[in-house]
């Protein structure tokens, strides 16, 4: 894939780029937003910019891709590319914006690494960037065309028709279509981007999993109030939604996207979630009920305490409507009496019997998914049968170091 000229140069410079990726990412964003401040109004998440780790996702994924080109060129990280492409189209990204990122990223590499970036080194990294960019652009073109929309057309206005407090920090919004143009049905596990005007007049976008199969006229999603920990700012979007959005208000939603979707099959299904990771699982269960399957489904869920388990009633209702639906829950702080299917502490899949030949979907914090995935692999579950959804930039994949 990589040309014979660039391959040895990338191999030789990957360690130094890797060591400096945080600084490259920081200067890249700084420089880009100074020159193009409009990118922070209705495209980039300014909350992510306050967090150095999250800033790393974009630049880090290019370094991860370069590592792949060097070490395993016949097996490119399709999962990573699909995830990014879906995220990009849910934001309405356009192909011509790739030149902006290119220019600023190359500037940051030179700014950080200085004279080490000879014209040959610059040309080799240029090649890596455009190999990846063109793959993304092609995938994104395919995704836009699959829903028959161009980037400017992904947004629709919806009216909030119901607001349900699920727990003290999770609220469900049900929205109704106000736009006469038809909308695409979502697939089980997909999300939408929500575009909101912040108090200072700047638009921000965030993605929320759909928690129910849509009926053409309604969509449903749940929002957890994000409280900044360790000095990070509170989530401005989630707080705005919690504090101000009420029945009758109008919101802008993108068409549904997301690559982690349920396969249509009859194999048993195991869904493992933690905390707000329950949301795509609720959507998958709702779709499964609607599709009238006799699939055996086991939901494994971990939460702080019974009172923080959002959407519990909804998922229990869905499981009850299935032929063989079963829930096991783990609580770090159980509150006294425990039912037979409740366990104390972190999720331990050794507490439960897993069905033969199942497909697995995981969603929750990265540490949770690494733990559960490792435990499943140790029990002999083939990696191909385990899919996962990460909320926020996917550092697991991007953290190539
Ligand atoms: C998100 C990679 C080009 C705008 C991301 C993420 C990655 C990524 C890894 C995080 C996805 C996740 O896990 O959530 C790339 C790569 C690019 C590229 C490799 C070029 C080869 C662009 C361009 C733009 C852009 C051209 C727009 C000018 C965004 C935005 C997000 C994002 C707005 C959402 C996260 C946030 O707001 O901070 N991209 N990207 N990307 N990308 Fe890109």
């Amino acid at each position: 894939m990589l040309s014979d000229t660039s391959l040895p140069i990338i191999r030789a410079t990957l360690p130094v780029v890797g060591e400096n990726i945080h600084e490259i990412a920081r200067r890249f964003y700084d420089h880009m937003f100074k020159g193009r401040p409009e990118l922070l109004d209705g495209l980039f998440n300014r909350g992510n910019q306050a967090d150095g780790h999250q800033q790393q996702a974009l630049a880090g994924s290019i370094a991860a891709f370069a590592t792949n080109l060097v070490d395993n060129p016949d097996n490119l990280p399709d999962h990573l590319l699909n995830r990014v492409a879906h995220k990009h189209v849910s934001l309405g990204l356009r192909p011509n914006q790739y030149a902006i990122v290119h220019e600023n990223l190359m500037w940051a590499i030179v700014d950080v690494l200085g004279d080490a970036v000879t014209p040959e080194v610059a040309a080799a990294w240029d090649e890596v960037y455009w190999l990846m960019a063109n793959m993304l652009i092609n995938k994104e073109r395919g995704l836009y065309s699959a829903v028959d929309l161009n980037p400017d057309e992904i947004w629709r206005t919806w009216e909030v028709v119901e607001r349900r407090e699920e727990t003290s920090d999770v609220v469900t919004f049900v929205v109704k279509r106000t736009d006469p143009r038809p909308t695409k049905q979502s697939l089980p596990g997909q999300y939408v981007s929500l575009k909101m005007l912040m108090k200072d007049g700047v638009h921000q976008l965030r993605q929320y999993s759909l928690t129910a199969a849509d009926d053409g006229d309604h969509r449903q999603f749940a929002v957890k109030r994000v409280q900044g920990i360790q000095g990070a700012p509170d989530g401005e979007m989630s707080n705005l939604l919690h504090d101000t959005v009420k029945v009758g208000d109008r919101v802008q939603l993108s068409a549904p996207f997301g690559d982690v979707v349920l396969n249509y099959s009859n194999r048993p299904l195991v869904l493992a979630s933690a905390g707000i990771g329950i949301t795509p699982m609720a959507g998958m269960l709702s779709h499964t009920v609607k599709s009238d399957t006799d699939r055996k489904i086991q939901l494994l869920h971990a939460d702080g305490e019974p009172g923080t388990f959002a959407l519990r009633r909804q998922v229990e209702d869905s499981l009850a409507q299935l032929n063989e639906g079963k829930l096991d829950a783990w609580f770090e702080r159980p509150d006294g009496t425990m039912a037979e299917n409740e366990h104390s502490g972190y999720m331990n899949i050794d507490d439960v019997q897993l069905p033969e030949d199942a497909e697995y979907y995981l969603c929750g914090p990265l540490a949770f998914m690494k733990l559960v995935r490792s435990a499943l692999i140790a029990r002999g579950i083939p990696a191909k049968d385990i899919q996962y959804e990460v909320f926020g930039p996917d550092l697991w994949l991007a953290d190539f170091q």
Side-chain angles (χ1 to χ4, degrees), residues 161-229:
V161 290
E162 192 183 340
R163 181 191 153 119
R164 263 196 321 264
E165 314 295 323
E166 301 284 353
T167 62
S168 62
D169 65 357
V170 176
V171 59
T172 284
F173 293 97
V174 182
V175 296
K176 187 174 182 334
R177 188 157 70 98
T178 60
D179 193 309
R181 290 171 293 175
T183 49
K184 291 286 168 184
Q185 289 273 327
S186 64
L187 300 172
Q190 286 195 310
Y191 54 77
V192 288
S193 285
L194 183 61
K195 188 195 295 195
M196 295 274 292
L197 188 63
M198 299 295 114
K199 286 180 183 146
D200 62 356
V202 166
H203 288 92
Q204 284 286 283
L205 311 181
R206 297 292 184 274
Q207 290 71 47
Y208 295 104
S209 296
L210 293 168
T211 52
D214 32 56
D215 62 6
D217 280 334
H218 294 90
R219 293 222 154 115
Q220 180 182 311
F221 55 93
V223 179
K224 179 179 168 144
R225 192 191 279 279
V226 177
Q227 269 151 351
I229 40 171

Side-chain angles (χ1 to χ4, degrees), residues 154-156 158 175 192-194 219 221 251-255:
I154 63 159
W155 301 102
R156 296 275 191 279
W158 300 71
V175 296
V192 288
S193 285
L194 183 61
R219 293 222 154 115
F221 55 93
V251 291
Q252 298 274 309
L253 298 189
S254 74

Side-chain angles (χ1 to χ4, degrees), residues 29 32 39 43-46 48-49 54 57-62 80-81 83-84 87-88 91 93-102 105 128-130 132-134 136 140 205-207 390-395 398:
Y29 280 118
M32 183 164 76
L39 294 176
L43 187 56
F44 278 89
N45 171 346
R46 60 182 174 182
N48 280 352
Q49 297 311 314
Q54 300 206 339
L58 197 161
S61 75
I62 293 173
L80 168 62
L81 293 168
R83 178 184 160 93
V84 176
K87 180 66 66 70
H88 281 167
L91 303 163
L93 212 74
R94 293 188 303 277
N96 61 6
Q97 291 173 310
Y98 278 84
I100 306 172
V101 164
H102 170 255
L105 190 61
V128 170
Y129 178 86
W130 284 111
M132 190 170 185
N134 284 332
L136 286 171
E140 287 158 22
L205 311 181
R206 297 292 184 274
Q207 290 71 47
V390 187
F391 289 158
D394 185 350
L395 298 172

